[in-house]
Structures are given as C-alpha cells and as structure tokens.
Amino acid sequence: MTKPRVHIATDHAGMELSAHLVSHLTAKGYDVVDHGPTEYDALDDYPSFCINAGLAVVADQEAGVHALGIVLGGSGNGEQIAANKVKGVRAALAWNLSTAKLAREHNDANVVAVGGRQHSVEEATELIEAFLAEPFSNDERHVRRIGKIAAYENTGEIVE
C-alpha cells in the first residue's frame, strides 16, 4: 500500500509537535499538507485549522487519493471534536499504541487526534506512525457499524 497524503493541523499547544511531524513524515516519504497555523498565537482558534484539514482529507478520499489527517492540541479533545464536525470524517483520539491502531483497524478512522501536552515528541510520533501504518481490517462487523454511522450522518436516521 502506498503512503497516504497527510493533512495536519494544530492549535498553539501542538505547534512544536506539528513542526516536528511535518519534517519527520516528509523525510519518511509522506506528502504532508500543513493546514496551520503558520505562527504561534496563544489565543488562536483551532477549529478552522482542524476543519480545513478534515475537509481536505474527505476531498482527497472522494477524489480517490489515499489520505489521512492529524489534528493536534494540548489534549487533542477539542481538535477531534472540530474535525468530527466535517461530514465524512471519523476522527479518533489516540493516547496509546492500542488506541492508535484500533482507530484504523476497527473504525477506519481517517483522522487521528493527539494531545501534544500529553506525550513526549517521541511518544506522539510513535502514535502517529502506528495510526498511519495500520490498515482497516475490512471485517464485516466493522464495515456494518461504520455504515450505520454514515447512514445517520447522511440521513439523520438511526439504523438498528
């Protein structure tokens, strides 16, 4: 499988980690698109950055481009919530290797959220790499469940 295009966004608390990841992932052969911010502002409003990254992931996927996203913050919670407002995004908060891998394997998450203040740069990098490398299992039960989530997202109807 080819490496995905990676869309990344952050708030001020994740800027150092974001800069590291852009450099690190680019050196590993990923096509990384940075959705900002471009300069530190302790009062920044991260939702626009994370929503733009989510929109780009979905647009790439709809165009047949293998793409995933990364959203970073102090905890990653707000960034995950913002990204999940984009139709077609399945953003998962990863806090250990298991959650990073299971987000892809079971949930086919297309965006990972990580808290820059919760992990060392090395730990966060390991989580991101695990997420990017893990394939979706395509197991029928997971496909069925994701389909039910998508049905609700698209129609507002809960499928039993």
Side-chain angles (χ1 to χ4, degrees), residues 143-156:
V143 171
R144 182 181 69 245
R145 293 167 184 164
I146 293 165
K148 288 181 176 190
I149 294 167
Y152 177 77
E153 180 178 50
N154 291 316
T155 68

Side-chain angles (χ1 to χ4, degrees), residues 86-120:
V86 175
K87 185 177 177 179
V89 166
R90 288 178 307 284
L93 181 66
W95 63 90
N96 61 30
L97 280 176
S98 180
T99 58
K101 290 178 181 181
L102 287 171
R104 292 282 307 130
E105 182 184 353
H106 288 188
N107 306 112
D108 199 17
N110 52 8
V111 174
V112 64
V114 173
R117 293 181 176 156
Q118 311 306 311
H119 309 281
S120 68

Side-chain angles (χ1 to χ4, degrees), residues 68 100-102 104-105 129-136:
L68 295 171
K101 290 178 181 181
L102 287 171
R104 292 282 307 130
E105 182 184 353
E129 287 182 340
F131 176 85
L132 295 175
E134 189 69 32
F136 176 52

Side-chain angles (χ1 to χ4, degrees), residues 1-5 56-68:
M1 177 183 256
T2 61
K3 292 184 178 186
R5 177 177 293 154
V57 168
V58 171
D60 272 355
Q61 290 180 335
E62 288 175 350
V65 175
H66 181 36
L68 295 171

Side-chain angles (χ1 to χ4, degrees), residues 8-10 12 30 36-38 43 50 75 84 91 106 113-114 116 120 122 125-126 140-142 144 153 156:
I8 190 167
T10 189
H12 63 278
Y30 288 91
T38 57
L43 300 176
C50 297
S75 69
N84 271 322
H106 288 188
V114 173
S120 68
E122 296 76 22
T125 302
E126 187 178 24
E140 186 277 329
R141 67 189 168 123
H142 300 307
R144 182 181 69 245
E153 180 178 50

